[in-house]
Amino acid sequence: MTDRINAGDPIRLGFATAIPWAYPGDNGEPLGFVNALTLVVLEEMGITNYETSVNEWSGLIPGLQADRYDIITGGMYILKSRCENINFTDPIGLFGDAMLVPAGNPQGIHNYQDVIKTGATLVTGAGFNTVEAAKKEGVPESQMMLVAGEVEILAAMNAGRADVAVQTFFGAKEHVEKSDGKYDVTDPADMPEWTQNWVGIGMRKSDPDFLAAFNEAMAKVIGGEKWMAATAPYGYTEFQLPGEDASTEYACANR
């Protein structure tokens, strides 16, 4: 990839539509806070030539491996199962999941154990980290509905095909804001502690030199004025910063 970029070819950004993490504008421009901070780092590296590739979430890693784009900017949790297939940059933030529930939370669902107790139908995205998490917590497949992504999650809730959704807190919050009071989002602190995850930018294992250069540039700008200004419109704050102890190696081994 480094040779291509040095030759003047655009770097190709791959992401799914997941507001406010990453999504395309009207002309395909990369919006969302993960795209915004990625562009800040690339600018620090002297790279301003890019193009976008919008995909379904479950196709992001296969698409990267198939060389359809160069980096995944979709806001992907650093998980052991994913680290086996791709490399991740140093963490860009620490994030949690939450439940999207009908307003007032009539069934009292705050976590996976509540889903099991109530017999509720839980919807989430195919390839989301929440699929693994729900299974680890013991949610039976008979109570799980897998759809393509964020848009389809909200559609399933609106159609009454699911009782509760699980997704990132930011994603659930976005749905609440779109629904005019129809839904609430639960507190991420009510979820198991181990579901707190670090997010990184995904890269092919065959591009270690570019990964190292990206990490070096990111260390210079993370949490700085340009970083915070670029991400603020999407709700990213200092509370999402990964912290000095954050480690991709730790996340790959323990998440």
Side-chain angles (χ1 to χ4, degrees):
M1 179 169 68
T2 302
D3 291 340
R4 282 186 48 255
I5 293 170
N6 289 341
D9 292 338
I11 188 167
R12 301 167 297 172
L13 315 179
F15 54 91
T17 298
I19 301 171
W21 299 77
Y23 57 99
D26 292 338
N27 298 311
E29 64 269 30
L31 303 179
F33 69 83
V34 184
N35 277 324
L37 60 84
T38 299
L39 295 181
V40 169
V41 177
L42 292 176
E43 183 180 2
E44 179 69 20
M45 298 172 69
I47 299 171
T48 56
N49 188 17
Y50 60 83
E51 60 185 38
T52 61
S53 176
V54 183
N55 310 266
E56 288 191 354
W57 182 268
S58 59
L60 287 176
I61 290 178
L64 180 69
Q65 293 174 316
D67 197 28
R68 289 196 285 273
Y69 36 88
D70 300 309
I71 60 178
I72 296 174
T73 61
M76 191 167 278
Y77 287 167
I78 304 171
L79 303 177
K80 184 185 300 185
S81 57
R82 291 171 177 165
C83 295
E84 294 172 358
N85 297 298
I86 63 173
N87 282 340
F88 283 98
T89 63
D90 291 337
I92 62 170
L94 179 65
F95 303 89
D97 297 325
M99 299 283 179
L100 181 73
V101 295
N105 199 359
Q107 290 184 273
I109 298 174
H110 300 273
N111 51 48
Y112 296 111
Q113 294 307 311
D114 292 338
V115 171
I116 297 170
K117 292 174 188 173
T118 59
T121 297
L122 174 72
V123 62
T124 195
F128 281 24
N129 67 292
T130 44
V131 178
E132 288 183 34
K135 291 178 178 178
K136 182 175 178 178
E137 284 285 297
V139 178
E141 291 189 10
S142 60
Q143 284 181 246
M144 293 176 62
M145 176 188 300
L146 303 186
V147 296
E150 300 277 1
V151 174
E152 292 79 9
I153 285 175
L154 186 57
M157 291 291 289
N158 285 337
R161 293 186 291 118
D163 304 304
V164 56
V166 63
Q167 55 197 129
T168 66
F169 171 73
F170 271 113
K173 184 179 177 185
E174 182 71 21
H175 287 337
V176 168
E177 291 173 358
K178 286 181 177 177
S179 69
D180 296 324
K182 188 174 180 179
Y183 301 108
D184 288 336
V185 59
T186 61
D187 186 344
D190 293 333
M191 299 287 278
E193 183 279 332
W194 59 266
T195 61
Q196 293 278 327
N197 287 284
W198 290 273
V199 169
I201 308 299
M203 299 187 185
R204 279 184 294 274
K205 287 186 177 290
S206 57
D207 292 319
D209 292 345
F210 189 84
L211 174 67
F214 191 97
N215 280 335
E216 183 179 349
M218 185 166 70
K220 298 177 182 177
V221 297
I222 187 168
E225 185 176 345
K226 283 187 177 181
W227 178 285
M228 301 309 296
T231 57
Y234 305 105
Y236 182 103
T237 71
E238 61 184 21
F239 297 108
Q240 278 75 55
L241 288 170
E244 295 181 2
D245 296 332
S247 161
T248 295
E249 289 73 23
Y250 176 85
C252 283
N254 294 281
R255 285 298 188 258

